[in-house]
Amino acid sequence: MWRRSASFILDRTSNPSSPPMANNTTTQTPFQNPDAISAYYQTRAAHHHGVITSDWLAQAQAAVEQPPDDEDSSVSDHGNYEKSFDVIDEFNGWRKQPDLAEAVAAIRALAAVIRASEATTMMELEIELKKASDTLKSWDKTSISLTAGCDLFIRYVTRTSALEYEDFNSAKSRLLERAEKFGEISCKARKIIAMLSQDFIFDGCTILVHGLSRVVLEVLKTAAQNNKLFRVLCTEGRPDGTGVLLSNELSKLDIPVKLLLDSAVAYSMDEVDMVFVGADGVVESGGIINMMGTYQIALVAHSMNKPVYVAAESYKFARLYPLDQKDMAPALRPIEFGVKIPAKVEVERSARDYTPPQYLTLLFTDLGVLSPSVVSDELIQLYL
Amino acid sequence: MESRRNPRAVVDPKVRQVGFFTSSQPDSTHQPDPIASESHPVVSRNSLSPVMIPPPRHNSSDTFPLRAASAVSPSSFSYSTRRDFPDGSTTAASPGRVSRGSFSKPSSSSLPGVGMDSMAAAKSSSVPASGLTTVSVVVNMPPGLSEKESDQKKNSKPLKEKTTKAERRALQEAQRAAKAAAKAEGGKAPLVSSGSVASTNVKAAKPAKPSSQKNDVAVAAAAGPSEKKGGQTEKDRKKDAPHPRMQYDDESRVVKAKRRAVVKQTEAKNRVELFRHLPQYEHGTQLPDLETKFFQLDPMHPAVYKVGLQYLSGDISGGNARCIAMLQAFQEVVKDYSTPSEKTLNRDMTAKISSYVSFLIECRPLSVSMGNAIRFVKNRIAKLPITLSESEAKAALQSDIERFINEKIIMADTVIVKHAVTKIRDGDVLLTYGSPTAVEMVLLHAHELGKKFRVLVVDSRPKLEGQLLLRRLIKRGINCTYTHINAISYIMHEVTKVFLGASSVLSNGTVYSRVGTACVAMVASAFRVPVLVCCEAYKFHERVQLDSICSNELGDPNAISKVHGREDINYLDGLTNNANLQFLNLMYDATPSDYISMIITDYGMVPPTSVPVIVREYQKEHMLV
């Protein structure tokens, strides 16, 4: 798996039967997730089980440069009747890159579908894309950024294809171009967000971080590179143990880190100047869906008048509108307590919660620094 | 309230001068309600129905009771004083200013004297406190008046030409006032028949009014002369904003409108001062009169007449129903229309539609949905290419109207239902208030889909609309509970979601809906129950309203005083004409956006803060579509 070799993608394409992930059965049944356990969170968990070091990350990235050609060849091998197969494979392939967000991986996979498509009219292509995107979405119903990313891409495509007067091939190539660009923008999104948030981190500040978001990590990295003096408090983040991983990373960057129990957040909130979280999805009301515990922290911060900043790329904007915590598709994950639990005892296994917009101060996105009510504006303009 | 007024008086001196002093007009209607006049500038900025043709109603009659006694002597004085003034008040740009001039003198010399004077007198007598204030203000005027007048002179040239018109009008009024004086001796003549008296007296009052009206971007009255009443700034503002609702304490405009009235409305007595800017009539008096006139309605189209009567009698109520009825009547109008010679279809039809709309307004004030629909129709008429033949144009218009009804109302409702049912889960307890059509559709559809939920219908007097909804739901087998609004905090703890309808949603996210909705939303939010408002996007409006006072509709006050079918508790029987008792039957209220969790429209589920985005992006589109 991860530990075996950084160039796992090469391994995978040459050896499709080898199980790429130890605890993930997805390759066997590419069309669904058998245990209804959120694959999204599983991946992240799997991610976290390994000791991910920045060197490893760099290696992985380097290895990632090559895949496109490999993917292409593998794609063309499969042929038409395995189109949907392709998408999932592609997607998984792209997903393996640790630094690549799920939505971007999905978009890249869809771009590959366009490339490999043998449709002759825009309509056909659109239908194919829609099917591929549906497959991707159904593969993991709980991942919001995946759904949002696919929807966004389809929207992009349909908007472009409104220009019917061009001949098909040029339209197709333009689509591909847009897809690539979209992928690129999404990759660069993190850098843009990091840049925007620099103004909010001042010397001597204390930042509370919850969950392991690559965007937030990027933000902190950039701040450290700009020689800002600040310290970070990170919550332990059970059951994923995100706190430990994050503190590993941060200590490498020579940022003073302090680990807190999840329950020690209110205790330490006094000395905190701001809270930084990422988001799994940003919903229409301006609230966010994120790792379990975010809502709690936002509530405490709000009652103590500390700003809560969310760093999220714009492809995470989803057309959902939860009214309360239970109004979302459930995303369960297994929780180990380390001791045996009696069978009769129920465990709350939800992996995420919803933070309403009134507890959030600002959203840092690649579209700029937004207030929560702007999310709906953007969504309306994009989707309607 | 006083303190609120003062700063505004300072903010815009040009407009203010006029308004402030005219509001001090010895008009009894004004005096007691300084807020109304004060609120004019604010209100006038509200752009409401774009089709604000001066309704014929005027509220002069409601001032009559108070003025009756004093009407006698003042009229004679007013006559004389007014005659004196035209010269002095040349600078006054409007009749209002003329009278203002006239005021100041008499007010200083002898209150009862001035034309508006009848008002002054009445005011000082009937409402001592405020009267005094006004008097004092007025008294202060004379020294300042000349300055003001000169100011006004400087301010806007257009006003000057108005002066001459005003002068002429003032003369006319004076002459009529003389005539009326004799009549007025007999005491308060029946309001309807004393139309002339009313108009003269009102015209007497007019001078005072117009200025106050003027300051509220007066404009609204579409009549030619009244249009000029506003100053330059008001003209500019008029261009930018749709016409504000007419303020019914603006006597001049009211009078003008009344002249064109088809429906003779009698002003209700005993009106609450705070709401004097809203029209209030005695209910039940117009219907027989109108019905007899059915065969003499030359200018009026029978379909429109029918719809108007249905509004008057309350047969058709509810934003969607009224709008659809009106649009279908307009379709009939278009079908039967033939362009008169030497007129273009566009202009003539627009004028016709405008006149029909003013009739409908006489019957019942327009709702926001109707206003938007009218704007759409006028827009389509204006956009008809000249090259089309008459039949083609008519066909195009009819199909446009048909499309509007289908797309914006009927299909919008299906989309709303589709979105809303996703929010209903098994085991839910849904609360609804009144009888909103959109919510009814949602509940019925959810029931069809097999969801297990129960409904709590909250109702209130005097309309008791919830009972209609209750019947329809029970017929379909939905488990319902029924209660009145005074029990709302008692039952709210078992409610999981609240579904409300809306007459309109304004740009700041405020929901303008049946009175009582704000209460329900507030209690729900206190109990942390999500409040979902179902409203079609064509009902959105770009105006902003901060309270339920500045723009509302007053219903029949008798409905509150009597409980239908319960003679034993009609304690207020003999008191309806008591001067100390005023009935207030509001029809709408404004719910702040903080209490609303989401708005379900045909554009999806959006937070209340996104309403201006939808207005901005899509109202233009639907105009052009």
Side-chain angles (χ1 to χ4, degrees), chain B residues 121-192:
Chain B
K123 259 188 300 201
S124 42
S125 55
S126 57
V127 189
S130 38
L132 281 173
T133 2
T134 37
V135 168
S136 56
V137 172
V138 171
V139 165
N140 289 334
M141 266 173 50
L145 182 61
S146 42
E147 292 148 28
K148 242 167 297 153
E149 301 205 304
S150 52
D151 279 353
Q152 272 128 24
K153 225 192 276 210
K154 283 180 253 150
N155 284 345
S156 39
K157 294 234 163 88
L159 300 180
K160 254 202 165 152
E161 35 172 321
K162 270 196 257 168
T163 308
T164 46
K165 248 194 207 146
E167 270 181 275
R168 280 183 255 126
R169 227 182 283 134
L171 277 171
Q172 276 185 332
E173 288 160 22
Q175 284 155 12
R176 265 188 243 144
K179 258 192 264 166
K183 279 196 207 157
E185 310 274 1
K188 181 163 74 104
L191 306 175
V192 177

Side-chain angles (χ1 to χ4, degrees), chain A residues 284-286 295 319-324 326-328 358-359 373 376-377 380-381 383-384, chain B residues 422-423 425 497 528 530 532 597-598 603-610 613-614 616-618:
Chain A
E284 187 136 17
S285 57
Y295 183 30
R319 291 222 85 185
L320 297 169
Y321 203 134
L323 289 173
D324 52 35
K326 306 292 186 305
D327 205 6
M328 309 177 279
Q358 56 261 34
Y359 303 114
S373 43
S376 180
D377 283 9
I380 289 177
Q381 286 174 359
Y383 278 97
L384 296 170
Chain B
T422 60
K423 290 295 175 196
R425 297 202 286 258
K497 294 193 177 71
R528 319 257 319 171
L532 291 73
S597 309
M598 82 159 75
Y603 291 108
M605 299 185 276
V606 294
T609 47
S610 292
V613 178
I614 292 182
R616 181 185 76 220
E617 303 278 327
Y618 300 105

